[in-house]
Amino acid sequence: MSRKRATNLASSVVVSGQARDSSGRVVLCRGKARPLWFGHPWVYANAVERLDGEAAAGDIVSLVDHDGHFIGRGIFNPRSQIPVRLLTRKDEAIDAAFFAARVREAQALRTRLGLPNSETTAYRLVNSEGDSLPGLVVDVFADAAVLQITTLGLALRRDAIFAAVEATLSPRTMYEVAAGSYAEVEGLVAQNRVVQGEPRNLVPCLEDGLRCEAEPLAGQKTGMFLDQRPNRMRVGQLASAGIRMLDCYAYAGGFGLQAARAGASEVTAVDSSPRAVARIEAHAVANGVPVRAVEADAFRFLETATPMSYDLVVVDPPKFARARKDVEAATKGYERLNALALTVCAPGALLVTCSCSQNVGAHDFERIIAAAAKQAQREVRIVEQGGPGGDHPLPPAFTEGQYLKVLFVYVS
Ligand code: SAH
């Protein structure tokens, strides 16, 4: 945003702590509406020409192009680099009925995909922009719902959102979890808590027939990493009796559990978090499969592991690149990690390697694997690619939402 525009926006801002449908109208610069006409839900600060009328952070505003054509209505936050996020393309009120309808639509999409079902009761019900609710994630673990709200506009409308989830699911326990780094950027407050219903630390649920317990209050994110479900299931199919499997950055151990159920002779799951290790051990017992859980830094573990000693290796690290400025260091980190992972792969092994850094693109990640192979002096071929499941939908124009890349690599 130019200095002049920033001043224009800031001077019209009224500070209020309430959820309001304001009269404010955000006008885009000429030529900046195109992505929005194609379904992109975000307005970047540099696309805003001015705010007509008044709007406070968290208010609902209307969005128009430079010629005044109505685009939609969305949540406003001049603190953010994304001052408007669209909620609707209709000129409608954003009220309790609106949220109830959005959550029902989200549920209809999951029902269409066969979720939940007798084998899988853990799934994502609301995926933020993918369900036209920017800044809201709702993960369902059997009879519990876990909400994470990361935009001020939705945080101010929490009660309507809780009511919408209650009306759709009637969960036995509803949780809210903290907003991470978004809290400060957006100027909102959120902490891990039970919103309503029976307070429980662990919530039993099923993934592909495997028994798991999500840990919403004390775990990471909402309590489980649901985006990887299809890739965990694929690993189960690619594992066969007698193989030696290594699951790095295992969290609850989902990849390793799949391999163990498929009859792997040896499954080692590595995570640096003692809580994660406890969960992996509990999950192995609950499913009656042998998994050796190791509390260790994955780099250190791989550096000291026996070369060529595994037939299936998964590496699923946390985001290395949080921002654009981290990309160079992250690229080096991924390269080193994957070179180490390739070194422990036996000839004929599969490496399943993941990146959840939005700032590292799919092609960048392929180049990283090529560089890692050169470093490790191994020959590799990409045999499959994976991403999140259909319960993580996205508008096609919204490439910013594409973060998870999974490459299935055959190692000669
Ligand atoms: N594969 C998991 C999700 C992994 S999330 C699944 O399918 O559910 C990333 C995990 O990496 C977290 O559990 C975190 O505790 C762990 N982690 C973070 N830094 C680590 C490190 N240096 N070494 C090992 N594990 C690490």
Side-chain angles (χ1 to χ4, degrees):
M1 186 189 291
S2 74
R3 197 154 293 229
K4 180 160 160 281
R5 284 185 193 126
T7 316
N8 282 349
L9 205 54
S11 63
S12 326
V13 166
V14 176
V15 176
S16 103
Q18 283 169 359
R20 299 186 322 170
D21 250 14
S22 80
S23 61
R25 202 174 76 136
V26 170
V27 182
L28 293 178
C29 301
R30 187 167 294 289
K32 291 290 189 184
R34 203 177 145 78
L36 290 131
W37 293 128
F38 280 82
H40 198 289
W42 285 357
V43 175
Y44 287 102
N46 67 3
V48 174
E49 165 128 338
R50 64 176 193 277
L51 170 69
D52 287 344
E54 287 182 344
D59 281 355
I60 303 297
V61 290
S62 295
L63 180 70
V64 298
D65 72 7
H66 196 259
D67 299 321
H69 297 120
F70 177 80
I71 298 173
R73 308 199 74 213
I75 42 183
F76 179 65
N77 194 344
R79 286 172 65 123
S80 165
Q81 277 308 300
I82 307 158
V84 182
R85 294 169 202 249
L86 281 188
L87 286 165
T88 176
R89 306 215 168 229
K90 293 188 201 148
D91 196 0
E92 62 182 324
I94 308 302
D95 52 13
F98 170 86
F99 288 110
R102 276 280 184 273
V103 174
R104 274 198 308 273
E105 282 164 31
Q107 191 192 34
L109 186 154
R110 276 66 184 179
T111 305
R112 184 68 183 77
L113 297 174
L115 290 169
N117 56 56
S118 60
E119 301 292 292
T120 296
T121 61
Y123 64 99
R124 177 155 293 186
L125 173 66
V126 174
N127 190 45
S128 202
E129 283 80 5
D131 289 291
S132 299
L133 288 168
L136 176 67
V137 158
V138 182
D139 283 351
V140 177
F141 303 110
D143 56 4
V146 184
L147 288 79
Q148 186 181 40
I149 301 177
T150 53
T151 49
L152 177 65
L154 295 194
L156 293 176
R157 292 165 181 81
R158 265 193 186 90
D159 290 344
I161 293 169
F162 295 151
V165 172
E166 173 65 27
T168 300
L169 288 181
S170 307
R172 193 164 130 203
T173 316
M174 197 188 305
Y175 302 86
E176 182 178 358
V177 296
S181 57
Y182 297 102
E184 191 172 338
V185 177
E186 285 277 320
L188 64 89
V189 180
Q191 37 183 271
N192 290 6
R193 65 185 176 120
V194 173
V195 173
Q196 61 190 57
E198 187 187 324
R200 291 176 285 170
N201 288 329
L202 293 172
V203 182
C205 55
L206 288 175
E207 180 175 280
D208 192 29
L210 289 166
R211 292 166 198 271
C212 307
E213 284 176 318
E215 202 176 16
L217 294 174
Q220 300 181 30
K221 295 277 174 75
T222 59
M224 255 173 85
F225 293 90
L226 295 174
D227 52 355
Q228 287 281 23
R229 181 183 57 248
N231 304 307
R232 288 191 285 257
M233 290 170 69
R234 187 69 186 124
V235 159
Q237 292 167 348
L238 293 167
S240 49
I243 64 158
R244 299 156 296 173
M245 193 269 189
L246 175 63
D247 182 1
C248 293
Y249 305 92
Y251 190 55
F255 282 107
L257 290 171
Q258 284 277 359
R261 183 173 63 179
S265 62
E266 180 193 322
V267 175
T268 305
V270 178
D271 202 285
S272 60
S273 150
R275 255 184 199 284
V277 167
R279 219 75 316 284
I280 297 166
E281 285 169 345
H283 287 162
V285 171
N287 292 286
V289 293
V291 175
R292 182 171 74 101
V294 179
E295 184 187 324
D297 171 75
F299 279 85
R300 297 290 92 74
F301 183 91
L302 288 166
E303 278 163 2
T304 51
T306 310
M308 298 197 185
S309 58
Y310 294 97
D311 309 297
L312 180 56
V313 176
V314 175
V315 277
D316 182 19
K319 247 205 309 243
F320 283 176
R322 303 212 148 264
R324 268 226 188 113
K325 64 173 171 47
D326 307 331
V327 167
E328 205 183 309
T331 299
K332 289 215 175 78
Y334 283 123
E335 239 178 73
R336 177 84 191 123
L337 176 63
N338 281 285
L340 289 168
L342 286 169
T343 302
V344 304
C345 283
L350 286 174
L351 168 66
V352 181
T353 183
C354 316
S355 162
C356 58
S357 300
Q358 193 269 327
N359 287 302
V360 175
H363 294 303
D364 304 325
F365 195 48
E366 285 163 17
R367 273 196 291 274
I368 286 169
I369 301 311
K374 180 168 175 288
Q375 221 184 91
Q377 298 184 306
R378 300 295 294 269
E379 201 176 302
V380 300
R381 276 163 284 176
I382 295 170
V383 290
E384 281 183 33
Q385 309 202 22
D391 53 345
H392 292 63
L394 286 179
F398 184 52
T399 50
E400 290 88 335
Q402 299 169 1
Y403 64 97
L404 180 64
K405 295 154 286 287
V406 183
L407 296 176
F408 293 73
V409 178
Y410 181 82
V411 189
S412 303

